[in-house]
Structures are given as C-alpha cells and as structure tokens.
Amino acid sequence: MEELEQWKEQFSHLSNLAMDRLREVPPNQLYVAAAIAIFTTLLLFSVRLLKRAKSNTVVLTGLSGSGKTVLFYQLRDGSTHEGTVTSMEPNEDTFILHNEETRKGKIKPVHIVDVPGHSRLRPKLDEYLPQAAGIVFVIDALDFLPNCRAASEYLYDLLTKGSVVRKKIPVLILCNKTDKVTAHTKEFIRRQMEKEIDKLRASRSAISDADIANEFTLGVPDEPFSFTQCSNKVTAADASGLTGEISQLEEFIREHVKQ
C-alpha cells in the first residue's frame, strides 16, 4: 500500500510539473503543436485505410492454349471473340462483368488482366501479382494429361512467389473446356497436379536444400503435398469459355472483388 501511495504522489507531482510547463508555452505554439498532432493522426489513419483498400485486379494465367483470352472476352462482353488466337501481349481492361450489366445499383468494376502463357512472356506476370486480389490459373481440361507436368511446374512457381504467399492471394484452378465429353474433371485434375507438385518438391529439394529459384517452399515436410497445405486458399472450378459457362469463375471474382 505504501508503494502505491508513493506512485500516486510521484504521478501527481509529474502531472503538476507538466501543467506548469504547458502554461509557460505561448498559446500560438500550443495551437501549432495541436494542429501537427491532428494532421499526423489523420495522415496515419488515411494510410491505414489505403492499405486496407481491396484491390479490384484479377489475373488470368496458365499455359498457352488453355483458353484464357476467350474467358477474358466472356467476362467483358459475353463473346468468344471468334475463338481468339494465342495472345502475345497481355489483355487488360476494367469493366463491369457482363452478367452484371443489367443489374441495378452501383456495381464495382473489375480490372481483369489476361497474361500470355508463353514461357518467354511469363515475367510479365510479376508486374501484376503485387496488386492482385485473386489469381485464376486456367487449365485445358481436354488436353490436360500431356501438359500436366508443364502446368504443375508453372503453378508450383506461382505458389512459391513471395508476392503471392505474403499477401495470401487466393488462387482458382479453373478447368476450362469441361463441356467436352472427353474432358477431365476438376477433381481428377486437382489430384494429378498435387501428385506432380509433390514430385517437383522432392526433385528440387534433392538438387539443393535451398530452392533458389523460389522464394518459399510448398507443403509439409514428410507429408504428401496437398493444396490445403498452402498458406493461401487454392480451389478448383469448372468452366467452358466457348459456351459461356463461366458462373464459377464469376463467383470467384466477386468473392474477392467486393461490391
């Protein structure tokens, strides 16, 4: 109790000293100090709000020929753009999703970037990932098995990028062309890619304890790889760009680009 009383007396003494010093300061200096304190507080608050502001960018990526550009035009205007040839430059635009054009009320536009899948053009992807609210990794479900290894390597590199892991950017594995009878299911594609990525983990770690090509590692040591082990959410969905069946893609976009 005596210690508590001593603390109280010391606090009271310091408070009185502080008040005496404040009375000695000219009023105009107090006003300036107060204004600076308020301005600093507002500035810090604004910066925090800007940091919290959600991005409206969604990146479409994947191997060449997977149908990314057709999906881009389906999202923008509901067309297939006559099937579209392989892109050699990113398609980029900000628009209201085609299926939302008839809706009433304020609708937030989405910034969609279709990044070419050619290996020489993939560095373009790094320009857009830091601002992405979501990533759509497009797979050709019709021609999946011959491209499984290449697609898995591409996705492995994507999931170990610092810009993706640190921000925990959600990734959608979009299995395109599933309207065809011979197309593989999203469940099959997911399982096969998990197996292939598991092999990649083993082979790359055997070459070097520190995989210098990637900023982060995937999975849990001594356990088979699963997308559920990723720090960011990885899901799979079906689509058909040529028939316009892209509802699951639109749902993913709106889940991460809020109205």
Side-chain angles (χ1 to χ4, degrees), residues 174-204:
L174 187 68
C175 306
N176 192 25
K177 308 180 186 180
T178 52
D179 57 300
K180 305 296 182 182
V181 177
T182 54
H184 296 285
T185 65
K186 65 183 179 184
E187 290 81 11
F188 175 82
I189 289 171
R190 181 184 180 117
R191 288 196 304 270
Q192 291 303 118
M193 294 191 80
E194 285 177 335
K195 290 178 183 177
E196 200 62 47
I197 289 176
D198 199 41
K199 294 177 188 175
L200 283 167
R201 282 197 314 163
S203 62
R204 295 194 183 190

Side-chain angles (χ1 to χ4, degrees), residues 54-66:
K54 284 275 188 178
S55 167
N56 70 333
T57 297
V58 173
V59 176
L60 302 179
T61 190
L63 298 181
S64 295
S66 56

Side-chain angles (χ1 to χ4, degrees), residues 59-63 117 122 125 129 134-139 144 147-162 164-165 169-175 186 189-198 200-201 204 211 213-219 225-228 230 232-236:
V59 176
L60 302 179
T61 190
L63 298 181
R122 286 180 198 167
L125 189 63
L129 289 180
I135 301 168
V136 179
F137 190 84
V138 185
I139 295 283
F144 168 67
N147 296 302
C148 178
R149 176 78 178 186
S152 299
E153 286 181 341
Y154 190 179
L155 185 56
Y156 179 99
D157 291 338
L158 184 65
L159 292 174
T160 51
K161 284 184 179 290
V164 175
V165 177
I169 301 173
V171 176
L172 176 69
I173 301 172
L174 187 68
C175 306
K186 65 183 179 184
I189 289 171
R190 181 184 180 117
R191 288 196 304 270
Q192 291 303 118
M193 294 191 80
E194 285 177 335
K195 290 178 183 177
E196 200 62 47
I197 289 176
D198 199 41
L200 283 167
R201 282 197 314 163
R204 295 194 183 190
D211 187 355
N214 304 92
E215 297 174 75
F216 288 86
T217 56
L218 282 181
F225 174 74
S226 167
F227 287 118
T228 58
C230 295
N232 48 327
K233 187 178 179 182
V234 180
T235 52

Side-chain angles (χ1 to χ4, degrees), residues 2 14 16 30 41 46 50 70 95 105 109 127 138 163 165 253-254 259:
E2 290 181 6
L14 290 173
N16 291 332
L30 285 175
T41 303
S46 301
L50 285 171
V70 172
F95 50 84
E127 298 176 17
V138 185
S163 55
V165 177
I253 291 170
R254 273 304 168 209
Q259 295 289 12

Side-chain angles (χ1 to χ4, degrees), residues 11 78-79 87 112 135 151 153 221 240 249:
F11 179 76
S79 75
S87 301
I112 303 289
I135 301 168
E153 286 181 341
S240 174
L249 169 59

